[in-house]
Amino acid sequence: MNKGSVFIISGPSGSGKDTLLKLLFEKHPEIAFSISSITRDMREGEVEGEKYNFVTREAFETMIANDELLEYNLYVNNYYGTPKAPVIAATEAGRDIIIEVDVNGAANIRKKLPEAVSIFIMPPTFTELERRLTGRGTESKEVIKQRMDSALGEIKRATEYDYIVVNDNIEVAVDHINSVIQGHRLRLQNQKHIINEVLEKC
Ligand code: ADP
Ligand code: 5GP
């Protein structure tokens, strides 16, 4: 059995990552998702343990001290981190796993896992990003401004990614993410076991 692959997904807040991933997981429940530990307040509609584990700053700092995180970052005054253990468990079991992180998190994961495949979710325009972020209605005006400021720097770093998926039409964007994942599964490095299996039976 081959190991699963790690897919990193980033994109500015409001670019549509959650929307796209929700649809992707409905179609492909075989793909695992890395649940981040974070210290920001829970938004309305968020469920503990679904996308995030909401932890105190003290608990987060203990995770850092115990080296339990693959990476972590301070984003708009809150900690966000990827626990190591579930990523190792999924890939060892042959499951692909998606890690949603910001651009700094992605850079840190690449250093530790150079074979990880990274995808940047791009909004069609900056104006549309602001419209979506405002339309979502989950943040104050001040936080939206901070996130738009952060978005500019993040988009400039999209060149660090292997793939860019523009989220204009939702269905097309989900299809494009899925194409990257399926294409990666077909690469020689991930198919060697098939060659051996066929050769063993000839
Ligand atoms: P992120 O997870 O990147 O912060 P969300 O998935 O929460 O972004 O999307 C931000 C807002 O934009 C949500 O209200 C969502 O419904 C909307 N949205 C996402 N994708 C599209 C799209 N392709 N066209 C129009 N609105 C979208
Ligand atoms: P939000 O508060 O909108 O849920 O997320 C804010 C930002 O944090 C997004 O860019 C998101 O991709 C990123 N993020 C989510 N989880 C992690 C994580 O575990 N590590 C890092 N570095 N960033 C994360």
Side-chain angles (χ1 to χ4, degrees):
M1 183 184 61
N2 267 22
K3 272 191 174 184
S5 302
V6 170
F7 293 88
I8 304 169
I9 302 247
S10 307
S13 181
S15 60
K17 301 178 296 297
D18 284 0
T19 307
L20 301 177
L21 290 181
K22 190 166 177 285
L23 288 172
L24 180 76
F25 290 125
E26 277 170 17
K27 289 184 189 165
H28 291 279
E30 78 280 6
I31 304 171
F33 178 70
S34 159
I35 298 171
S36 299
S37 290
I38 70 168
T39 61
R40 81 153 159 71
D41 291 337
M42 206 187 263
R43 285 186 199 133
E44 211 183 305
E46 284 183 324
V47 177
E48 163 67 25
E50 200 172 79
K51 177 181 176 191
Y52 292 135
N53 286 317
F54 295 88
V55 301
T56 62
R57 226 176 159 84
E58 293 71 39
F60 198 98
E61 282 166 357
T62 304
M63 292 174 87
I64 298 174
N66 292 341
D67 195 26
E68 290 172 35
L69 299 170
L70 182 61
E71 63 75 41
Y72 68 93
N73 190 37
L74 199 59
Y75 173 85
V76 193
N77 298 324
N78 280 301
Y79 279 124
Y80 290 72
T82 307
K84 266 184 209 170
V87 176
I88 295 169
T91 52
E92 290 293 329
R95 276 184 93 185
D96 291 338
I97 185 163
I98 291 182
I99 308 181
E100 192 207 307
V101 285
D102 74 330
V103 288
N104 294 315
N108 289 332
I109 294 175
R110 277 188 211 101
K111 278 183 213 148
K112 290 190 179 165
L113 306 173
E115 69 284 7
V117 177
S118 59
I119 307 172
F120 191 90
I121 308 298
M122 185 70 83
T125 63
F126 210 61
T127 316
E128 173 62 10
L129 179 67
E130 188 160 21
R131 195 193 66 74
R132 288 184 193 169
L133 212 44
T134 311
R136 189 169 69 186
T138 47
E139 274 90 11
S140 65
K141 267 193 175 157
E142 195 196 332
V143 172
I144 290 176
K145 189 181 170 325
Q146 286 173 333
R147 287 181 176 229
M148 287 303 291
D149 288 347
S150 173
L152 196 61
E154 289 168 52
I155 290 172
K156 285 183 183 158
R157 290 183 62 184
T159 51
E160 295 170 17
Y161 287 72
D162 298 311
Y163 296 91
I164 305 291
V165 169
V166 178
N167 177 20
D168 193 354
N169 176 292
I170 294 180
E171 292 298 331
V172 171
V174 172
D175 218 39
H176 285 170
I177 297 173
N178 189 35
S179 301
V180 170
I181 296 172
Q182 302 306 327
H184 188 71
R185 283 186 189 155
L186 298 177
R187 285 180 66 92
L188 172 64
Q189 73 208 44
N190 300 323
Q191 297 273 56
K192 286 199 173 134
H193 63 292
I194 307 272
I195 302 173
N196 293 335
E197 277 165 30
V198 171
L199 287 178
E200 272 165 21
K201 286 179 197 147
C202 72

